[in-house]
């Protein structure tokens, strides 16, 4: 039970989704490349009682990993990134096409791993285009697709047309949770997502 979680964009809530999913599955969490602090691993540690696998690269600048690494004089070896064994939720950086190096994208690593990918998508305006483009990129690289997890307020028409045109499973929708606490996240996640969809 290993999943890759990526998004249609950055700052859409996929870290919170990862915390909820790892908690529900009793899986570990791994962010291979962290660009910007505080880290997403710290956020997940606060929201879920799960084991955190240390990042392979922990960069200071909140930017694309290739840029953040260059600022620190670090060269990211994309080929060295290997998923941990056992149940784990792996979170990518930003969207699928984020560059790790000037000639390697995160989606290239996902294609090499061949693990089921969960695509997190906003429910706000613009999500249809971004999500359908992301689905095409995933399929063009023959990456196993688990489904789409929507994040935000309900937008039934957008969710419906994405799943129909994109021919993809709707895994559920994680609403905005305020205040966001471990207990509330676990409770809401358990109501909005089915564990059997991640078997």
């Amino acid at each position: 039970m290993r999943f890759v979680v990526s998004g249609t964009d950055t700052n859409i809530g996929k870290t919170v989704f990862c915390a909820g999913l790892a908690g529900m599955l009793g899986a570990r969490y791994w962010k291979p490349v962290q660009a910007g602090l505080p880290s997403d691993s710290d956020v997940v540690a606060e929201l879920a009682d799960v084991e955190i696998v240390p990042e392979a690269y922990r960069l200071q600048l909140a930017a694309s990993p290739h840029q953040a690494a260059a600022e620190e004089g670090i060269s990211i070896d994309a080929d060295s990134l290997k998923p941990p064994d056992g149940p784990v939720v792996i979170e990518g950086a930003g969207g699928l096409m984020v560059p790790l190096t000037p000639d390697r994208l995160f989606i290239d690593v996902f294609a090499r791993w061949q693990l089921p990918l969960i695509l997190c998508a906003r429910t706000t305006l613009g999500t249809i285009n971004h999500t359908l483009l992301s689905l095409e990129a995933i399929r063009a690289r023959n990456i196993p697709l688990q489904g789409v997890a929507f994040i935000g307020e309900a937008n039934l028409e957008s969710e419906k047309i994405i799943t129909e045109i994109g021919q993809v499973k709707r895994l559920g929708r994680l609403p905005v949770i305020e205040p966001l606490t471990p207990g509330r996240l676990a409770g809401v996640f358990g109501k909005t997502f089915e564990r059997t969809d991640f078997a």
Side-chain angles (χ1 to χ4, degrees):
M1 184 167 41
R2 298 188 295 176
F3 294 103
V4 169
V5 177
S6 190
T8 55
D9 200 353
T10 192
N11 292 327
I12 66 171
K14 69 180 182 299
T15 299
V16 176
F17 172 83
C18 284
L21 180 61
M24 184 175 75
L25 299 178
R28 295 185 292 167
Y29 168 85
W30 185 44
K31 175 100 173 192
V33 180
Q34 172 67 46
L37 300 176
S39 74
D40 291 334
S41 294
D42 295 335
V43 173
V44 172
E46 291 178 2
L47 291 175
D49 183 19
V50 299
E51 179 184 344
I52 307 296
V53 179
E55 301 96 334
Y57 296 91
R58 191 177 175 103
L59 308 166
Q60 302 290 320
L61 182 66
S64 172
H66 85 285
Q67 179 184 353
E71 290 283 340
E72 296 184 34
I74 294 171
S75 178
I76 295 176
D77 181 3
D79 291 329
S80 71
L81 299 176
K82 297 188 181 351
D85 293 329
V88 63
V89 173
I90 304 169
E91 181 181 357
L96 291 161
M97 307 293 275
V98 165
L100 291 170
T101 70
D103 60 357
R104 295 292 292 279
L105 306 175
F106 232 132
I107 195 171
D108 298 324
V109 175
F110 299 156
R112 174 167 58 83
W113 287 349
Q114 283 295 295
L115 295 177
L117 187 145
I118 298 165
L119 182 66
C120 288
R122 305 178 191 270
T123 57
T124 52
L125 188 64
T127 191
I128 297 173
N129 179 67
H130 293 164
T131 307
L132 293 179
L133 284 172
S134 295
L135 291 172
E136 284 203 4
I138 292 165
R139 289 185 171 125
R141 289 164 176 79
N142 296 312
I143 299 171
L145 180 61
Q146 192 75 12
V148 172
F150 293 97
I151 299 175
E153 301 301 331
N155 188 334
L156 298 181
E157 181 53 38
S158 289
E159 295 176 41
K160 178 174 178 287
I161 200 69
I162 286 169
T163 54
E164 288 179 353
I165 294 177
Q167 296 182 351
V168 63
K169 181 176 180 59
R170 179 190 182 277
L171 297 170
R173 179 180 61 83
L174 184 64
V176 176
I177 302 172
E178 294 179 345
L180 181 58
T181 64
R184 285 175 60 84
L185 175 60
V188 171
F189 204 93
K191 291 178 180 177
T192 53
F193 293 92
E194 295 290 339
R195 185 185 176 92
T196 53
D197 285 335
F198 305 98

